């Protein structure tokens, strides 16, 4: 089974990488959460909020599915 980090879309990983120097502790915490979890719903609301913060998405643009299942952030299982 792949971790959420392994399933994360490349553009999301790139966004995190670009912000890592400026926000090292926040990005590190997000990476740990993604590497320690296999299911999106096991992330805390704070984890998801922080992930969104480092993307081009706005909070208002996310559907309930995006918040609950990470559809805009992870590659769907094949």
């Amino acid at each position: 089974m792949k971790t959420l980090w392994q399933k994360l879309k490349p553009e999301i990983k790139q966004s995190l990488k670009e912000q890592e120097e400026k926000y090292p502790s926040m990005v590190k915490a997000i990476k740990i959460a993604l590497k320690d979890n296999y299911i999106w719903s096991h992330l805390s609301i704070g984890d998801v909020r922080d992930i969104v913060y480092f993307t081009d998405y706005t909070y208002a643009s996310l559907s309930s599915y995006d918040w609950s299942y990470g559809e805009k952030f992870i590659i769907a299982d094949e």
Side-chain angles (χ1 to χ4, degrees), residues 11 18 29 35 37 43 47 49 53 55 57 75 77-78:
E11 61 269 23
E18 290 170 0
K35 289 178 180 180
N37 287 286
L43 296 174
D47 291 334
R49 183 199 61 224
Y53 179 78
T55 68
Y57 298 114
I75 299 167
D77 290 332
E78 298 173 2

Side-chain angles (χ1 to χ4, degrees), residues 22-65:
K22 191 172 182 180
Y23 303 100
S25 60
M26 282 182 72
V27 172
K28 182 179 179 181
I30 292 168
K31 284 183 174 182
I32 289 170
L34 292 168
K35 289 178 180 180
D36 286 349
N37 287 286
Y38 299 89
I39 300 169
W40 187 265
S41 62
H42 289 178
L43 296 174
S44 71
I45 293 170
D47 291 334
V48 176
R49 183 199 61 224
D50 291 346
I51 293 167
V52 174
Y53 179 78
F54 291 114
T55 68
D56 292 330
Y57 298 114
T58 63
Y59 297 119
S61 72
L62 301 176
S63 71
S64 60
Y65 265 72

